[in-house]
Amino acid sequence: MMRTAVLSGSFDPFTIGHMDLLTRSAGLFDKICVAVLVNPSKVPCFSAEERIEMISCAAKAAGLANIEVEGFNGLLADFVVTKKACAVVRGVRDGTDYAYETRMASANRYLSGGMDTIFLPAKTEYSFISSATVKEFAAFGRDITGLVPDSIYKIIAERLIKR
Ligand code: PNS
């Protein structure tokens, strides 16, 4: 049986930490469907189309073949059912993430009638990296080399530095 998992997030932008989760989860499952949240309450820096394109580009550059990238809005639990996935994958950096993620995992288990969430611990060296820190560093003129995949560095840096 083909085992698909969903890696969900806003990915605004996709970071080196997200890339690490994608690489590791692609090694654990037959296929990873990256679910990009399309309709958050706040306006994203990168449109859903841009985020989908960037993630596809980074996955291709890393030689990951078993990846599909799609936008979703509404409930993650419903998206997971339509993808016939067996689990959601989420990265966990620290206790604050864990508190939020366990609650979300319970909500998603309830909403989907039993689907599980797999937590992957962030690599120690990536534990401070988030889309928010990348945006903040760039906004104050710091170089974000190494914080986002090299293959999509240029498009991310250009946008964040221009703002
Ligand atoms: O990158 P993020 O912001 O940590 O991703 C959070 C995301 C997109 C996975 C989460 O906000 C989500 O699943 N949103 C969809 C709405 C939903 O399913 N809510 C019920 C579960 S709490």
Side-chain angles (χ1 to χ4, degrees):
M1 190 183 81
M2 170 101 161
R3 298 189 85 82
T4 299
V6 169
L7 179 64
S8 62
S10 309
F11 307 116
D12 185 40
F14 192 70
T15 70
I16 197 74
H18 293 136
M19 187 68 225
D20 180 54
L21 294 172
L22 180 58
T23 305
R24 288 160 62 197
S25 55
L28 293 169
F29 291 91
D30 298 313
K31 186 171 129 191
I32 297 295
C33 180
V34 182
V36 179
L37 185 62
V38 169
N39 209 2
S41 36
K42 65 174 186 177
V43 179
C45 268
F46 296 90
S47 70
E49 293 70 28
E50 289 171 327
R51 285 177 276 150
I52 290 166
E53 180 62 33
M54 282 190 277
I55 297 165
S56 306
C57 174
K60 202 174 167 195
L64 299 176
N66 54 338
I67 310 292
E68 178 184 296
V69 189
E70 272 184 40
F72 85 102
N73 62 46
L75 292 173
L76 179 60
D78 294 334
F79 180 81
V80 168
V81 170
T82 65
K83 298 317 289 182
K84 296 189 169 60
C86 60
V88 168
V89 174
R90 295 281 293 172
V92 176
R93 286 164 295 207
D94 56 17
T96 302
D97 279 352
Y98 182 79
Y100 173 69
E101 293 299 335
T102 46
R103 192 176 289 204
M104 199 156 74
S106 295
N108 284 326
R109 180 187 285 115
Y110 171 83
L111 289 169
S112 64
M115 185 211 51
D116 229 320
T117 300
I118 308 294
F119 293 164
L120 292 183
K123 278 192 180 165
T124 312
E125 63 268 38
Y126 298 156
S127 64
F128 69 97
I129 299 173
S130 65
S131 297
T133 55
V134 167
K135 283 184 276 202
E136 185 92 343
F137 289 4
F140 289 101
R142 293 300 185 110
D143 186 18
I144 57 166
T145 300
L147 302 185
V148 298
D150 288 343
S151 52
I152 55 175
Y153 167 83
K154 200 161 172 270
I155 181 169
I156 294 173
E158 272 171 6
R159 169 74 51 87
L160 294 180
I161 289 161
K162 258 189 218 143
R163 283 161 58 89

